[in-house]
Amino acid sequence: MSNPDPSHTAPAPLAGVRVIELARILAGPWAGQLLADLGADVIKIEHPQGGDDTRRWGPPFVTGADGENLSAAYYHSANRGKRSITLDIASAEGARTARDLIATADAVIENFKVGGLKKYGLDYDSLKAANPRLVYCSITGFGQTGPYAPRAGYDFIIQAMAGMMSITGEPGREPQKAGVAISDIFTGLYSVIAIQAALRHAEKTGEGQMIDMALFDTQAGILGNQNLNYLVSGEAPVQMGNAHMNIAPYEVFPVSDGHVIIAVGNDGQFQRFCKLLGAGAMAADPDFQTNPSRVAHRERLRTEIIAAMSRFTKAGMLAACEANAVPAGPINTIAEMFDDPQAIARGMQMELTDQAGTGIPSVRAPIILPASPLNYDRPSPRLGEHTDDVLEELERLKSTRKKT
C-alpha cells in the first residue's frame, strides 16, 4: 500500500520540505516519520556505530530475505519513509557535514540534552546565521527552562511526574503507566503541529525560530478533562480502574463469557440500555435518572447492572447494544484489532518493500487526505543506507550555491 488511492498523483502535502533529524528513540523519530508520511524529505543522521538505539531494542527483529538483521521492530515503528546517513558529529568533519546539510534544510528535529549540541555548532543560535528561515525543533524531557531543564527525559518517569500514573490502574493498587509511551508519542505529534506552524511563519516572514518541546509539558497538557476536574474542584483525581470520573455507567462489565465495555453518555442511552436488559426497576429508580445521580450512586448502579448482564454473552450483549443504539464495544487484543473488519477496511496494516525485496510490516498514519494523499513509498532505512546519495546531493547543492 503506497497510498489509499494509487491513481491519485498529487504530491503529498509537505512535498519539497526538507528535514534533518538528529533524534533517536521515539519522540523525535515519531515526529520525523509523520513528516515523511506527509511528504517531507527526512534525512536521519545516525552515529556510524550502531545508529539509533532502538535498532537494538528487541526482540522481535525484522529479518531480511537473505537472513540479515534489519533492526528491531521498535525501530521500524518510528522511522518509515526516511533516508539514513551516518555521521560522527563529535568529529570536526562530521559536525561540518551536518551543518552543511542543515544549511539546505527547512527544519531540524533534535532530542539532545539542553545545550548538548552547542559544542558541535549544531545549536539553533549557531545555525540560524547560515539559514535564517530554519525551523529548529528541540525535544527534551523538561524543556529549555525551569529547574529540571538539565535532566534527561524518559517517558516512564514523565508519566509518573506529570500525573498520568496517579489516575491509571485499579483503586488501591500500584500506579500504572500506559501500555505505550504516550508522553513520547504525543510529544512527537505536537512537534509536527508546531513545525508546520513555524514553517508557515517562515514562509510569510522569512524568519525561522526555535521550538521548545518538552515531554513533561505534553504529558501534563494531555490530561484533558482530568486537569479541569482538579482545577475546578480542588480535588486531585485518583485511580478508578476502568470507571470514568464524570460519567456512569461508563466502564468494563462482566458477561457470562468475558467482559465488554458499556459507555453510556446520556440519559436517553441509559433508558435504552435498561430496556434491553429488561431492567425496568433500574430505569425508574430516581437515583439513576440523570448522569450526576448515577455518578453519585455508581456502586449500587454497577451491582445492579452486573446482575442484569450476567445472562448475556459477549456477542449477545454487543448485538443488543448495537440494535438499541447503546455505545458498547469488545476488548480486543492487538491481534484481534488488526483482524477486525473495520481495521481491514481502513487499511491500517501495510507492508512496505525495501530495495532488497524484503517486506517490512507497517501501520498507516491515521490521516486520510484524499486530494493530497500521504506518502508510503519507503520503509525504514538500513543504517547509513543513503549516505553516499545524500552526500553527493549535498555537493551538488553547494556547487550550485557557489555559482549563484
Side-chain angles (χ1 to χ4, degrees):
M1 177 178 178
S2 57
N3 69 56
D5 181 6
S7 67
H8 206 300
T9 57
L14 296 184
V17 172
R18 187 176 175 93
V19 179
I20 306 301
E21 182 186 298
L22 278 162
R24 60 193 190 279
I25 315 297
L26 190 52
W30 195 264
Q33 176 171 269
L34 184 52
L35 291 169
D37 289 345
L38 290 166
D41 177 19
V42 179
I43 299 172
K44 183 179 181 74
I45 295 179
E46 300 187 73
H47 193 280
Q49 302 302 317
D52 191 313
D53 304 51
T54 61
R55 288 183 179 275
R56 299 174 294 283
W57 282 15
F61 293 90
V62 174
T63 303
D66 58 358
E68 179 186 2
N69 182 334
L70 299 183
S71 300
Y74 195 123
Y75 165 78
H76 290 281
S77 75
N79 289 285
R80 171 181 64 226
K82 304 172 187 178
R83 296 194 283 171
S84 170
I85 175 173
T86 53
L87 287 178
D88 180 5
I89 63 170
S91 71
E93 181 182 358
R96 183 171 56 252
T97 301
R99 290 193 296 271
D100 288 345
L101 274 172
I102 291 169
T104 72
D106 299 288
V108 168
I109 303 169
E110 63 91 1
N111 66 348
F112 283 69
K113 289 183 180 179
V114 172
L117 288 174
K118 186 174 180 61
K119 58 188 172 184
Y120 309 125
L122 294 171
D123 58 304
Y124 176 64
D125 287 338
S126 299
L127 295 168
K128 67 180 181 180
N131 188 353
R133 296 170 60 98
L134 181 66
V135 171
Y136 188 101
C137 181
S138 178
I139 299 174
T140 59
F142 298 94
Q144 303 294 310
T145 58
Y148 302 154
R151 295 185 185 180
Y154 298 91
D155 176 275
F156 191 5
I157 294 172
I158 297 296
Q159 287 194 43
M161 293 182 68
M164 178 67 186
M165 289 179 64
S166 75
I167 57 173
T168 306
E170 294 292 334
R173 301 290 296 277
E174 180 180 277
Q176 294 289 308
K177 66 178 180 64
V180 294
I182 59 171
S183 301
D184 279 329
I185 289 175
F186 270 94
T187 301
L189 295 179
Y190 275 109
S191 295
V192 170
I193 295 168
I195 289 167
Q196 291 179 113
L199 287 172
R200 178 65 174 140
H201 174 81
E203 181 182 283
K204 292 190 295 182
T205 67
E207 297 178 355
Q209 60 188 297
M210 178 173 172
I211 300 167
D212 179 5
M213 297 298 304
L215 271 66
F216 183 88
D217 297 357
T218 297
Q219 182 61 78
I222 64 172
L223 296 183
N225 61 295
Q226 294 285 38
N227 280 337
L228 269 291
N229 285 336
Y230 165 68
L231 293 174
V232 170
S233 72
E235 297 181 11
V238 296
Q239 293 167 288
M240 295 184 64
N242 290 310
H244 195 293
M245 186 175 189
N246 304 106
I247 312 171
Y250 200 98
E251 56 190 289
V252 173
F253 288 99
V255 288
S256 63
D257 59 346
H259 295 82
V260 297
I261 289 174
I262 302 296
V264 168
N266 59 51
D267 299 336
Q269 291 173 356
F270 180 72
Q271 290 299 317
R272 295 195 298 273
F273 181 50
C274 291
K275 182 178 180 180
L276 73 86
L277 291 176
M282 188 164 63
D285 192 318
D287 286 347
F288 304 150
Q289 292 304 295
T290 66
N291 181 69
S293 294
R294 291 192 294 274
V295 170
H297 300 92
R298 68 164 72 239
E299 293 305 323
R300 185 164 69 86
L301 174 64
R302 176 174 172 80
T303 298
E304 294 191 21
I305 290 174
I306 290 174
M309 289 179 62
S310 63
R311 61 188 176 86
F312 286 86
T313 63
K314 286 189 290 186
M317 185 79 261
L318 294 173
C321 286
E322 183 170 2
N324 288 275
V326 174
I331 303 171
N332 288 334
T333 64
I334 292 176
E336 290 169 334
M337 178 274 290
F338 278 117
D339 287 339
D340 191 289
Q342 184 66 20
I344 293 170
R346 299 291 287 177
M348 293 307 299
Q349 181 177 351
M350 305 186 298
E351 184 172 274
L352 306 179
T353 305
D354 71 5
Q355 61 182 10
T358 300
I360 299 176
S362 197
V363 180
R364 141 177 112 68
I367 299 171
I368 293 179
L369 296 172
S372 51
L374 275 63
N375 179 44
Y376 302 114
D377 292 339
R378 182 187 291 133
S380 306
R382 289 167 163 79
L383 179 61
E385 179 179 343
H386 304 97
T387 299
D388 291 344
D389 290 344
V390 170
L391 293 182
E392 289 174 7
E393 182 181 280
L394 177 61
E395 289 304 312
R396 289 195 299 271
L397 289 171
K398 287 165 65 176
S399 176
T400 300
R401 285 205 305 272
K402 287 178 182 178
K403 292 177 181 178
T404 58

